[in-house]
């Protein structure tokens, strides 16, 4: 018997995993991940650092010193606790909002700023960074994840591929295709759907009649799990577990993180007051991942005001330095861009290299 | 040398590259045990196994994404789109993803992917199997588009496409798959992508074409020679992007007249681009405007209407005579 839509049976199959409540109390001791004190502090540091960086990025964008930027405040647990479960050698396939994971995975911050401004240097990843550039075409990263994961499996590497997308993306064909491909090849992939309840102005209720997004995994025959995306320990536990299962050859997992973004969709003129109520934002601000994790760590004696201040200072300093480094990168020339088209320039590219080369020479 | 059909030459090219390079993978819908809907991959699954030659779910976009991911793991994928009319499903993964990977990573990553796909009219296929959509991809920076017209070219060009470190779309005209045999060397050889071939030498007019229209143009040229004493130089482009503008301009400087022939509709294909290049490079050598033979600007015909719709030898002969008489 197939459970009927909306029935308790489906809800029971996809319960929300929560380990810390909003007051920082452990409510699920059994599934609490094993983390050292150093790891706990480091995760908190990354979350605080990213909140400050997000604030700075918003203001730098308003000053015209950054370009395209998709705010992340509110999603620190969802983004950073899941990245924290990755190995350095794992592959990361982010969407355009997932810049923090890229930076914590090893992308130099000034390159993230170059990406924001629209400079090719922002996509020139160092060889040791196992990541693909942020994906603008919503869902395209999911099918590419299946390919990377299959490649890792074929090469018998002890690595997996982590893919991020939002709630709106689950409506895309590519997200279904990506999970389905990964499923049939039993490829080592983890798909993380960050459900922040809105795809620009469209609430998740208008994306699908599904009660959860995690249950979309059923269509691909893979594991699906829903977690409290404002709870760093739950997100970390789910991601770590999915990673271990993928490594053990048990195939991919879809993790839905229930989260919220406090800022606008992007800094390109989006006004969230047109489609979100203050009450909703207030409600989610009470669930702030920083508040509950701070309370949890303070109780353990692992976090104090000085740690918070030191982290904030460090973030501001790093942002300033990265900005300076981004400023020092030479401007792009058409000849640079022509040079990236093919390994060997075609006759047309050669002609245009000559034309633009002469033009650039004349301008100097 | 062996006598091969074009499809045998294509299989042979893939077999050679699968043997040569352990990074080469072949995948698509029904390409493994089944050997492909046209037998293009016949025997490859048996020889190389599931690890190298495998089936995918029925999802073209997913196939394109899979190719990109595998390319990032250092593989050299040969992906098949069962019929090129289905390519719209994979438009993003080809035009927006594979084609742009080298550029958007500032050269850090690249996609050595070959996209094989059958197309072309004359065999009465159902809807959206035969459409000539090469023009769409010729417009995408970052891609190369190769269309062989005979078994020898097919093998040499496919090996070159597989070895190319950038994405290549390799379009196989269904009517040419088994329509004739030709001498094909048994060993590996390559034909440069982007180099046209003078399929027939002539002094009176240049006929520029590709795909199945090469055979049609050659037949028209023989008749024009016999009946009208007109000697056509027939250029088989072999690659439609990048265009071999040098060979085209060189020929026109000799013949002073040209006709472009394509199976695609007038608003599609590559004909207009060729004429613009001729205007840029050889306008003052022209004694007449460049003529065009194309299909009409309708949706690809219902199967029973192919014969009246597809450009044929008479269309070419008439257009050549018209340009000569200008």
């Amino acid at each position: 018997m197939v459970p009927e839509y909306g029935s308790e049976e489906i809800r029971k199959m996809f319960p929300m995993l929560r380990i810390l409540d909003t007051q920082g109390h452990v409510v699920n001791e059994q599934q609490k991940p094993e983390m050292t004190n150093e790891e706990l502090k480091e995760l908190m540091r990354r979350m605080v650092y990213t909140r400050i960086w997000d604030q700075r990025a918003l203001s730098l964008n308003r000053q015209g010193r950054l370009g395209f930027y998709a705010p992340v405040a509110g999603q620190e647990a969802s983004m950073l606790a899941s990245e924290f479960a990755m190995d350095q050698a794992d592959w990361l396939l982010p969407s355009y909002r997932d810049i923090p994971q890229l930076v914590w995975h090893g992308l130099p911050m000034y390159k993230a700023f170059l990406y924001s401004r629209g400079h090719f240097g922002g996509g020139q990843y160092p060889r040791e960074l196992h990541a693909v550039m942020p994906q603008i075409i919503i869902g395209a990263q999911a099918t590419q994840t299946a390919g990377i994961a299959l490649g890792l499996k074929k090469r018998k590497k002890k690595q997996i591929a982590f893919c991020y997308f939002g709630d709106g993306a689950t409506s895309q064909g590519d997200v279904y295709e990506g999970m389905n491909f990964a499923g049939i090849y039993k490829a080592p992939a983890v798909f993380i759907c960050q459900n922040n309840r809105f795809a620009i102005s469209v609430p998740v209720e208008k994306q699908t009649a599904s009660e959860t997004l995690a249950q979309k995994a059923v269509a691909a025959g893979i594991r699906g799990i829903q977690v409290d995306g404002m709870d760093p320990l739950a997100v970390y536990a789910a991601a770590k577990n999915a990673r271990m299962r993928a490594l053990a050859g048990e195939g991919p997992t879809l993790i839905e993180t229930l989260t919220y973004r406090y800022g606008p969709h992007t800094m390109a003129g989006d006004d969230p007051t047109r489609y979100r109520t203050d009450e909703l934002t207030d409600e989610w601000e009470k669930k702030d991942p920083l508040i509950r994790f701070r309370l949890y760590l303070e109780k353990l004696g692992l976090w104090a005001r000085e740690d918070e201040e030191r982290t904030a200072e460090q973030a501001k300093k790093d942002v300033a330095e990265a900005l300076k480094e981004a400023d020092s990168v030479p401007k792009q020339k058409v000849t640079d861009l022509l040079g990236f088209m093919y390994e060997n320039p075609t006759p047309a590219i050669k002609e245009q290299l000559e034309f633009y080369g002469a033009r650039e020479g004349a301008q100097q | 040398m062996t006598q091969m059909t074009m499809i045998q030459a294509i299989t042979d090219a893939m077999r050679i590259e699968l043997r040569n390079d352990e990074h080469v993978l072949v995948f698509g819908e029904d390409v493994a045990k089944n050997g492909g809907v046209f037998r293009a991959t016949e025997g490859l699954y048996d020889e190389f196994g599931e690890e190298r030659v495998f089936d995918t779910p029925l999802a073209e976009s997913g196939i394109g994404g899979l190719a990109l991911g595998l390319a990032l793991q250092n593989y050299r994928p040969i992906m098949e789109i069962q019929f090129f009319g289905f390519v719209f499903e994979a438009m993003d993964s080809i035009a927006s993803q594979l084609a742009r990977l080298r550029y958007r990573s500032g050269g850090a990553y690249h996609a050595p992917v070959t996209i094989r796909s059958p197309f072309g009219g004359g065999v009465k296929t159902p809807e959206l199997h035969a459409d000539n959509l090469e023009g769409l991809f010729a417009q995408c920076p970052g891609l190369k588009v190769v269309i062989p017209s005979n078994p020898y070219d097919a093998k040499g060009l496919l090996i070159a496409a597989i070895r190319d470190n950038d994405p290549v779309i390799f379009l196989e005209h269904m009517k040419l798959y088994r329509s004739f045999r030709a001498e094909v060397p048994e060993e590996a050889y390559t034909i440069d992508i982007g180099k046209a071939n003078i399929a027939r030498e002539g002094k009176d007019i240049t006929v520029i074409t590709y795909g199945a229209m090469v055979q049609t143009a050659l037949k028209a040229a023989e008749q024009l020679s016999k009946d009208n004493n007109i000697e056509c130089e027939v250029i088989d482009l072999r690659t439609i992007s990048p265009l071999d503008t040098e060979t085209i301009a060189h020929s026109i400087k000799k013949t002073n007249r040209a006709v472009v022939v394509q199976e695609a509709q007038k608003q599609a294909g590559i004909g207009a681009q060729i004429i613009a290049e001729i205007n840029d490079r050889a306008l003052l050598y022209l004694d007449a405007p460049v003529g065009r033979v194309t299909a009409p600007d309708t949706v690809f015909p219902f199967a029973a209407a192919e014969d009246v719709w597809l450009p044929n030898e008479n269309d070419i002969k008439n257009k050549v005579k018209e340009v000569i008489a200008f």
Side-chain angles (χ1 to χ4, degrees):
Chain A
M1 268 289 282
V2 180
E4 260 183 65
Y5 167 70
S7 69
E8 267 306 293
E9 281 167 279
I10 287 196
R11 193 61 248 182
K12 268 189 226 152
M13 283 166 73
F14 299 94
M16 184 180 73
L17 174 66
R18 172 180 289 159
I19 289 164
L20 284 183
D21 69 11
T22 55
Q23 300 306 307
H25 298 125
V26 174
V27 293
N28 185 341
E29 192 67 45
Q30 205 185 347
Q31 285 181 278
K32 199 176 80 167
E34 276 183 36
M35 295 175 81
T36 64
N37 287 347
E38 274 317 302
E39 284 172 334
L40 289 168
K41 277 166 75 173
E42 175 60 15
L43 180 53
M44 182 63 189
R45 197 179 73 79
R46 291 183 181 194
M47 288 169 53
V48 170
Y49 187 106
T50 304
R51 176 69 59 89
I52 299 293
W53 158 22
D54 185 71
Q55 289 164 0
R56 291 294 300 133
L58 261 62
S59 108
L60 289 165
N61 169 281
R62 291 199 185 98
Q63 294 164 30
R65 299 188 70 194
L66 283 182
F68 175 69
Y69 185 72
V72 300
Q75 298 189 204
E76 291 87 352
S78 171
M79 290 176 162
L80 304 175
S82 55
E83 196 284 327
F84 205 63
M86 290 176 72
D87 190 87
Q88 200 66 40
D90 289 342
W91 277 77
L92 169 65
L93 289 96
S95 83
Y96 53 81
R97 198 179 301 279
D98 304 304
I99 309 299
Q101 295 96 306
L102 271 171
V103 170
W104 289 113
H105 202 55
L107 181 72
M109 194 190 286
Y110 84 95
K111 282 189 176 280
F113 290 166
L114 288 177
Y115 171 75
S116 166
R117 288 176 174 182
H119 189 290
F120 64 77
Q124 285 176 322
Y125 286 4
R127 190 163 287 276
E128 62 278 9
L129 176 66
H130 287 177
V132 184
M133 297 72 69
Q135 183 55 252
I136 290 289
I137 302 299
I138 290 171
Q141 69 271 38
T143 57
Q144 296 169 9
T145 298
I148 288 188
L150 178 59
L152 293 169
K153 182 181 174 181
K154 282 180 171 298
R155 296 207 180 283
K156 300 188 169 48
K157 297 238 169 105
K158 290 279 163 211
Q159 298 161 21
I160 73 161
F162 270 74
C163 178
Y164 289 88
F165 46 82
D167 40 303
T170 59
S171 304
Q172 287 277 10
D174 271 351
V175 166
Y176 169 68
E177 289 183 30
M179 295 195 297
N180 190 53
F181 273 60
I184 67 133
Y185 297 125
K186 268 199 177 295
V190 177
F191 296 95
I192 297 171
C193 172
Q194 300 188 80
N195 178 0
N196 66 20
R197 309 191 51 77
F198 287 90
I200 308 190
S201 67
V202 178
V204 67
E205 293 77 18
K206 290 196 173 170
Q207 293 295 341
T208 177
S210 269
E211 216 163 330
T212 69
L213 299 180
Q215 77 197 59
K216 303 259 176 191
V218 174
I222 66 174
R223 288 180 70 245
I225 175 169
Q226 189 186 58
V227 304
D228 181 346
M230 307 302 260
D231 172 358
L233 294 187
V235 172
Y236 178 81
K240 195 83 177 168
N241 188 256
R243 183 176 188 279
M244 295 315 287
R245 281 173 175 267
L247 281 182
E250 289 173 38
T253 300
L254 168 64
I255 299 172
E256 176 193 8
T257 65
L258 293 172
T259 182
Y260 198 77
R261 64 174 153 81
Y262 298 140
H265 164 67
T266 66
M267 294 303 288
D270 177 48
D271 174 10
T273 63
R274 291 166 71 105
Y275 53 85
R276 285 194 320 212
T277 60
D278 288 346
E279 294 78 56
L280 186 67
T281 302
D282 289 348
E283 178 198 324
W284 280 88
E285 277 177 353
K286 289 187 191 114
K287 298 178 184 171
D288 191 325
L290 267 59
I291 295 176
R292 72 177 77 176
F293 205 36
R294 191 183 288 123
L295 289 170
Y296 175 65
L297 293 189
E298 280 172 357
K299 271 181 283 189
L300 293 176
L302 294 174
W303 197 256
R305 181 190 281 269
E306 304 84 72
D307 297 300
E308 187 100 6
E309 282 166 1
R310 204 164 37 235
T311 303
E313 283 316 304
Q314 187 67 48
K316 286 178 198 163
K317 189 163 154 268
D318 289 356
V319 167
E321 274 172 18
L323 207 63
K324 215 190 281 173
E325 196 167 357
D327 289 343
S328 74
V329 171
K331 286 202 174 104
Q332 300 167 102
K333 301 194 295 286
V334 176
T335 48
D336 296 328
L337 308 183
L338 287 164
F340 299 136
M341 288 310 304
Y342 298 97
E343 181 179 43
N344 302 306
T346 63
I349 297 277
K350 272 186 206 158
E351 285 178 4
Q352 290 166 36
L353 274 168
E354 247 174 66
F355 173 81
Y356 288 99
R359 201 177 79 169
E360 287 158 10
Q363 279 164 353
Q364 273 170 6
Chain B
M1 287 286 193
T2 324
Q3 288 279 321
M4 285 188 199
T5 60
M6 190 167 94
I7 199 132
Q8 287 170 333
I10 287 165
T11 312
D12 196 40
M14 283 190 274
R15 186 185 300 113
I16 285 173
E17 287 310 282
L18 279 159
R19 282 180 189 163
N20 266 353
D21 183 350
E22 56 168 9
H23 301 94
V24 172
L25 301 176
V26 171
F27 53 88
E29 298 157 8
D30 309 289
V31 303
K33 271 189 186 163
N34 191 45
V37 292
F38 290 104
R39 304 285 167 263
T41 52
E42 181 134 285
L44 302 182
Y45 174 84
D46 288 337
E47 181 175 347
F48 302 98
E50 179 82 27
E51 277 293 305
R52 308 283 304 283
V53 179
F54 54 94
D55 285 325
T56 65
L58 205 168
E60 287 77 16
S61 186
I63 293 171
L66 196 73
L68 190 143
L70 287 164
L72 285 174
Q73 291 308 314
N74 221 10
Y75 283 102
R76 194 170 281 279
I78 306 174
M79 59 177 262
E80 182 181 300
I81 301 285
Q82 200 161 64
F83 293 95
F84 206 51
F86 310 164
V87 78
F88 290 103
E89 299 289 335
M91 199 75 190
D92 177 69
S93 52
I94 297 172
S96 309
Q97 306 294 332
L98 288 168
R100 296 166 69 106
L101 186 65
R102 185 184 290 278
Y103 176 89
R104 66 191 291 262
S105 66
Y109 296 138
H110 64 279
V113 174
T114 304
I115 300 147
R116 283 187 47 248
S117 191
F119 80 110
V123 290
K124 307 254 191 305
T125 50
E127 209 175 3
L128 276 165
H129 284 56
D131 293 55
N132 299 268
L133 301 172
E134 68 278 9
L136 297 172
F137 294 89
Q139 294 210 355
C140 298
L143 295 176
K144 296 175 186 173
V145 183
V146 172
I147 307 180
S149 69
N150 60 71
Y152 177 85
D153 285 1
K155 179 170 169 179
L157 286 166
L158 183 51
I159 293 178
I162 296 165
R163 293 181 185 178
D164 200 291
N165 283 329
D166 290 303
V168 178
I169 298 191
F170 190 86
L171 296 176
E172 304 165 6
H173 200 292
M174 284 182 270
K175 200 180 168 187
L176 297 175
Y177 267 155
R178 294 183 173 85
S179 59
F180 64 98
R181 288 173 185 274
E183 291 282 315
V184 176
E186 277 164 52
E187 67 277 9
Y189 63 96
T190 58
I191 294 173
D192 288 347
I193 291 174
K195 282 273 176 284
N197 177 40
I198 311 268
R200 183 187 195 279
E201 289 201 22
K203 59 176 177 37
D204 298 323
I205 188 165
T206 303
V207 177
I208 303 150
T209 188
Y210 57 97
M213 284 296 132
V214 173
Q215 299 302 325
T216 313
L218 285 171
K219 279 181 201 153
E222 285 311 309
Q223 290 166 21
L224 284 163
S225 169
K226 210 168 75 189
D227 302 341
N228 307 86
N229 210 22
I230 296 170
E231 295 305 328
C232 298
E233 177 143 299
V234 178
I235 296 182
D236 177 356
L237 288 172
R238 297 198 291 201
T239 299
I240 64 142
S241 178
L243 274 176
D244 185 353
T245 49
E246 200 183 323
T247 299
I248 295 169
H250 189 258
S251 176
I252 287 169
K253 286 174 187 174
K254 178 174 78 173
T255 62
N256 310 113
R257 290 170 200 272
V259 168
V260 178
V261 181
Q262 67 182 22
E263 187 178 303
Q265 294 90 334
K266 191 171 190 181
Q267 70 188 65
I270 190 72
Q273 179 69 17
I274 295 168
I275 294 170
E277 290 287 350
I278 293 171
N279 286 343
D280 281 352
R281 292 162 203 276
L283 186 68
L284 296 179
Y285 294 87
L286 286 176
D287 289 340
V290 179
R292 268 204 270 183
V293 176
T294 70
D297 283 332
T298 73
V299 167
F300 197 87
F302 300 101
E306 276 190 343
D307 294 344
V308 295
W309 190 90
L310 289 167
N312 61 32
E313 283 154 51
N314 276 338
D315 296 326
I316 298 172
K317 279 175 6 191
N318 290 339
K319 185 57 76 176
V320 165
K321 283 189 258 182
E322 189 188 312
V323 173
I324 294 273
F326 177 80

